[in-house]
Amino acid sequence: DAVLDHAWRRGPRTGARRRVLVVGVERPGRLMPALRTELESSRHEVTVATSAAGGRGKFENINALLAEHDLADFDWVLVVDDDVEVPHGFLDRFLAVAEQHDLQLAQPAHRLASHAGWAVTRRRPASVARATAFVEIGPITAFSREAARALLPFPELRMGWGLDVHWSAVAQERGWRIGVVDATTILHTVPVAETYPRDAAVAEARAFLATRPYVPRDEANRTLRTHR
């Protein structure tokens, strides 16, 4: 539509060639094959590593994949879900915009029809990118080299709720810019918490945040600056 066309036409389409590690958990019948094909078509040097869910939680599996690579070798690390659709040319444009605005932690905006848990992560009219107080834990999260060094591997969590509001506090402490890229909108095709118990996720989050700094939901759900 006209709004997406505006965002797509403005801002950089490509940047310097980067080394990118993409990790995710892959379940049968989901969208990971198409996502892998799209990401590997990028001009960047992309390594995609996935594993079957098995009996472990998402972040246990992701940590096992991260342990197989030296993260210092990569400019960006992307953690991706297997139920997300991205536009053609996604990675080139996404990273170019993130780097133009010096985002250390970034995510693509959700389309209006996408399943999203936070209002701040939905695309905004005529916006290329926004500096925000929060970046969501999925369905696609990008860590710069600096952010990956500080935040990865993940803590010992199965579902990971609460981790992203802790990241917000870390970003404030370290003076990082974090944000949402509206120029590359995605479609999350499956509702949040469809594959695990919501009550268990909430309990895990409360226990995790009890001993760590975090940004409250109302404060996290804010756009700080819009880039048009």
Side-chain angles (χ1 to χ4, degrees), residues 5 13 24 32 35 46 51 87 90 110 129 136-137 139 142 147 158 160 163 166 168 170 172 189-190 198 210:
D5 184 66
R13 292 176 182 268
M32 188 65 81
L35 180 59
V46 179
S51 68
F90 163 76
H110 286 271
E136 197 175 11
I137 202 163
R158 289 184 60 84
L163 184 53
H166 170 61
S168 295
V170 173
Q172 289 182 1
T189 62
V190 176
R198 181 178 292 269

Side-chain angles (χ1 to χ4, degrees), residues 83-106:
D83 54 4
V84 60
E85 296 178 1
V86 301
H88 178 65
F90 163 76
L91 189 61
D92 291 352
R93 187 68 184 280
F94 174 67
L95 292 185
V97 172
E99 292 193 356
Q100 179 190 43
H101 298 293
D102 193 30
L103 302 180
Q104 300 300 316
L105 191 64

Side-chain angles (χ1 to χ4, degrees), residues 20-28 30-37 39-40 46-54 56-58 60-69 77-84 139:
V20 182
L21 175 63
V22 179
V23 293
V25 178
E26 185 169 1
R27 292 163 290 183
R30 297 281 184 144
L31 302 176
M32 188 65 81
L35 180 59
R36 177 193 293 268
T37 297
L39 295 175
E40 290 179 339
V46 179
T47 300
V48 179
T50 64
S51 68
R56 296 185 294 187
K58 170 184 173 179
E60 293 170 308
N61 282 297
I62 295 296
N63 278 345
L65 292 169
L66 293 173
E68 296 173 359
H69 300 85
V77 177
L78 268 65
V79 178
V80 303
D81 288 351
D82 63 357
D83 54 4
V84 60

Side-chain angles (χ1 to χ4, degrees), residues 44-205:
H44 298 293
E45 183 180 343
V46 179
T47 300
V48 179
T50 64
S51 68
R56 296 185 294 187
K58 170 184 173 179
F59 296 100
E60 293 170 308
N61 282 297
I62 295 296
N63 278 345
L65 292 169
L66 293 173
E68 296 173 359
H69 300 85
D70 185 350
L71 300 188
D73 290 340
F74 297 93
D75 300 293
W76 287 90
V77 177
L78 268 65
V79 178
V80 303
D81 288 351
D82 63 357
D83 54 4
V84 60
E85 296 178 1
V86 301
H88 178 65
F90 163 76
L91 189 61
D92 291 352
R93 187 68 184 280
F94 174 67
L95 292 185
V97 172
E99 292 193 356
Q100 179 190 43
H101 298 293
D102 193 30
L103 302 180
Q104 300 300 316
L105 191 64
Q107 70 173 94
H110 286 271
R111 301 175 197 170
L112 296 184
S114 182
H115 291 286
W118 294 75
V120 73
T121 66
R122 291 200 181 277
R123 71 161 170 85
R124 296 292 191 271
S127 169
V128 174
R130 285 171 289 127
T132 61
F134 170 86
V135 166
E136 197 175 11
I137 202 163
I140 297 179
T141 311
F143 301 80
S144 70
R145 186 189 298 272
E146 181 178 352
R149 185 166 56 244
L151 302 178
L152 301 177
F154 293 100
E156 293 183 4
L157 299 171
R158 289 184 60 84
M159 292 150 286
W161 284 29
L163 184 53
D164 36 22
V165 291
H166 170 61
W167 291 343
S168 295
V170 173
Q172 289 182 1
E173 291 170 358
R174 294 174 178 254
W176 292 347
R177 286 172 56 85
I178 65 176
V180 177
V181 176
D182 291 305
T184 51
T185 57
I186 59 168
L187 179 66
H188 190 203
T189 62
V190 176
V192 176
E194 188 227 28
T195 59
Y196 54 83
R198 181 178 292 269
D199 289 349
V202 170
E204 182 183 68

